Amino acid sequence: MSDRYAVFGNPVRHSLSPRIHALFAAATGQDLTYEAVEAPVGGFREAVLAFRDAGGRGANVTVPFKEEAYALCARVSERAQRAAAVNTLSFEAGGAVVGDNTDGAGLVRDLTQRLGLDLGGARILLLGAGGAARGVLGPLLLEGAAEIVVANRTEARARALERAFGGLGRVRACGLAAIPPGPYDLVLNATAASLAGEVPPLDEVVLAGAPLCYDLAYARDGLTPFVAWARGRGLRAEDGLGMLVEQAAEAFALWRGVRPETAPVLAALRGGAAGQ
């Protein structure tokens, strides 16, 4: 019987993760299935444990459950502990749930290897302070970012990240209406606005001169609202599909012991072959 994996989220029907992992499995000769499971809000723990008890080997976790996934784990990796958020679960033979966070590694790999961005000494504006932001802050600082400004609608949540990650580098917190002036080398949208078809309330002057705007969300068809908004102002902007593929490869390697090639999968997704 094939080993079973899944992604849990709400909503999750849009997810490309099942197709990505099917392509990874075919390319590496791994016998597995991978499905999307929409867990009810308030019922994430029960849904994951039911999947484990039915023979599941591991799972990915997306919005809005990454912090709940962290609380579910008996043991977590150092990067997950730093983020206090988990996006990758492994189920041990005795039933223990082990957590990791591959988001930051996936983002860094996409930014540096595919997009050619040098993060050493970079000044970064990070919009949002939820699980997605928590997952990428540490790896960005460890890559040598000179400063990361965390701007969030609720400033207190941004302040919490300033305290949690300040030991790794310079982190400044603020509200969305009080973002320090640029220039920024990179603007990251880690809010859930794109999932709601919206753009964060942002003074476009803040983005002036930014070499790259990057949305951690992605769209199955067309552009995310943030990418469309930035490109409409003449800025270079990318969505998070590359990050999705890279973090998926990191999770696949944790589960299966082999890291798949990501470029062919991203090319297939961009061409529409895997987006159906």
Side-chain angles (χ1 to χ4, degrees):
M1 178 180 292
S2 302
D3 292 334
R4 294 180 63 202
Y5 298 88
V7 57
F8 288 81
N10 188 324
V12 78
R13 288 185 297 273
H14 70 286
S15 178
L16 290 172
S17 292
R19 183 60 174 153
I20 290 169
H21 283 274
L23 290 169
F24 285 165
T28 57
Q30 297 289 307
D31 184 13
L32 60 86
T33 64
Y34 189 108
E35 62 196 271
V37 179
E38 185 163 306
V41 174
F44 169 76
R45 178 187 179 90
E46 292 76 11
V48 169
L49 295 182
F51 178 76
R52 178 202 64 183
D53 294 345
R57 294 286 302 276
N60 288 127
V61 181
T62 188
V63 175
F65 298 126
K66 293 181 182 183
E67 290 167 89
E68 285 188 59
Y70 178 80
L72 176 63
C73 294
R75 189 172 72 254
V76 298
S77 68
E78 182 179 348
R79 57 191 178 185
Q81 184 174 31
R82 200 156 41 222
V86 160
N87 80 328
T88 303
L89 300 170
S90 300
F91 308 132
E92 295 186 336
V97 181
V98 179
D100 201 348
N101 193 311
T102 65
D103 281 337
L107 175 63
V108 166
R109 190 177 178 94
D110 194 44
L111 290 173
T112 59
Q113 298 197 18
R114 184 176 69 88
L115 299 175
L117 194 66
D118 183 3
L119 296 173
R123 188 169 188 238
I124 300 172
L125 173 60
L126 177 61
L127 306 172
R134 281 186 164 274
V136 303
L137 250 175
L140 289 169
L141 290 167
L142 291 172
E143 282 292 308
E147 179 184 54
I148 299 181
V149 175
V150 181
N152 193 57
R153 191 186 301 270
T154 305
E155 186 176 340
R157 295 201 73 184
R159 293 287 175 198
L161 295 195
E162 182 182 63
R163 292 190 296 271
F165 290 91
L168 295 179
R170 182 171 171 78
V171 180
R172 297 172 64 187
C174 63
L176 288 173
I179 298 173
Y184 293 96
D185 300 297
L186 173 65
V187 178
L188 293 170
N189 178 32
T191 72
S194 285
L195 297 179
E198 302 170 355
V199 176
L202 187 64
D203 187 339
E204 61 187 82
V205 174
V206 171
L207 304 187
L212 179 63
C213 297
Y214 191 104
D215 196 345
L216 271 62
Y218 66 92
R220 288 187 68 118
D221 301 298
L223 305 175
T224 69
F226 180 76
V227 169
W229 185 85
R231 289 185 181 178
R233 284 148 183 81
L235 298 168
R236 181 190 182 197
E238 298 280 343
D239 71 8
L241 187 58
M243 172 185 171
L244 176 72
V245 173
E246 293 295 348
Q247 68 79 24
E250 189 88 358
F252 191 93
L254 287 171
W255 292 329
R256 312 302 295 184
V258 57
R259 185 182 178 89
E261 293 292 328
T262 54
V265 173
L266 182 59
L269 294 171
R270 289 295 187 199
Q276 304 304 314

